[in-house]
Amino acid sequence: MAPSLKTKVASIPLETCVYNASGPRTGSAQALSRISASKAGAVLAKSATLASQTGNPLPRTWHHDAEESHASMNSEGLPNLGIEYYIKTETIDEAISDTGKPYFVSISGKNTDDNMKMLDMIYEKIKTGEARIAGVELNLACPNIIGKPIIAYDFEQMDSVLKSICAMPMFTEAKIPLGVKMPPYFDGPHYDRAAAVLNKYSDVVKYVASINTIGNCLAIDTVAEMPAIRSKGGFAGLSGRAVKYTALANVKKMRELLVDDIDVVGVGGVYTGEDAFEMILCGASAVQVGTCHWNEGPKCFDRICKELEDLMAKKGYSSIEDFKGKLKEWSKEGVAKSREVKAAKKKLAKDATATKASSGPSAQDQMLTALLILVIAVLLADKFDVISI
Ligand code: RRO
């Protein structure tokens, strides 16, 4: 039997532990419907503001290498269709259809007042049964709002925002699960302070998504000798493979420091099933995919799920609980085991090359050679006018 990728985030069951990050390809019902049609375990909409907005001036994105996606940057500036769009019945019906997948809304208001207004609107839809909304992700980590620092880097402000929001009846009475999107941290005391604030609100905050893009990075166009991105002097959020290691450290640290009631969702640089596996080893209950989804489209969810399943099967794991949060301590035995497996793989590859060489050219090689000879013969015949019609 294939391993199960089932999980729970904020007590909400997900058929697979891989789904989209809020960001690229999440701004419209049509884009969201492509996610729900894939193997993604949930659907999360683009961060919304109270009113629709177009975002920062173009160009506002940059890719180091479109093929490999080592690194990407964005300074989108929250382009979105406004909260009303993301919570109306028609949008959600198109986004998740009858898949039964949990639909999450993300909010990133200009201030706490705006966030509270949006939450009131969301609660109204839930109360009247108009909208199938499973939970809300509060984005405290957008790096691209001109003139506004990242909220979760200011721990007093983060505490005061959460204090106001977590006291709202939709959370205290109706118990709608709240998630918080966090920026990356890089130093011990910052992890400690962020986790201490989140733990204060563990009655309401049921998951943390770590990490948002690494804020205020800079890509340079060396031909033009200027920033690649137009707004904020080119300063933008870094994502892609390059951020995976920062994301893993944040997931690991958050899992260590947060109370068990708060799940950790890993996000940042996930491209493969192996990346997802690493996030779960570090304690993630689920994994969101942002930049890979941006580059590859929603088929990435099918591929990553399949790769994760294959890896689990190879290791003899039947569910993610078998390895979630079970990253081992570094040990000499571990190094020896790893070395042994790498050597065996190398030998297998060497043997395969030797077998191929000794068994002569393959049928395909022979066909290609024959075709080449034929082409040369025709060309020569033409040149020396051998063939006459
Ligand atoms: O829209 C954006 O510029 C954006 C957002 Br809201 C965010 O949370 N993270 C990011 O990298 N870009």
Side-chain angles (χ1 to χ4, degrees), residues 46-47 74-79 108 139 141-144 212-213 237:
K46 170 74 185 165
S47 287
N74 87 85
S75 181
E76 298 267 33
L78 259 166
S108 190
N139 186 358
C142 178
N144 301 330
N212 205 314
T213 52

Side-chain angles (χ1 to χ4, degrees), residues 303-322:
R303 180 182 57 73
I304 293 170
C305 284
K306 172 78 172 65
E307 289 170 0
L308 178 57
E309 264 177 19
D310 289 349
L311 182 57
M312 285 169 64
K314 215 162 101 186
K315 285 175 172 280
Y317 294 139
S318 54
S319 80
I320 73 162
E321 294 307 322
D322 291 345

Side-chain angles (χ1 to χ4, degrees), residues 179-196:
V180 183
K181 180 78 172 271
M182 302 297 289
Y185 296 104
F186 301 93
D187 202 12
H190 295 163
Y191 287 118
D192 292 341
R193 291 196 64 189

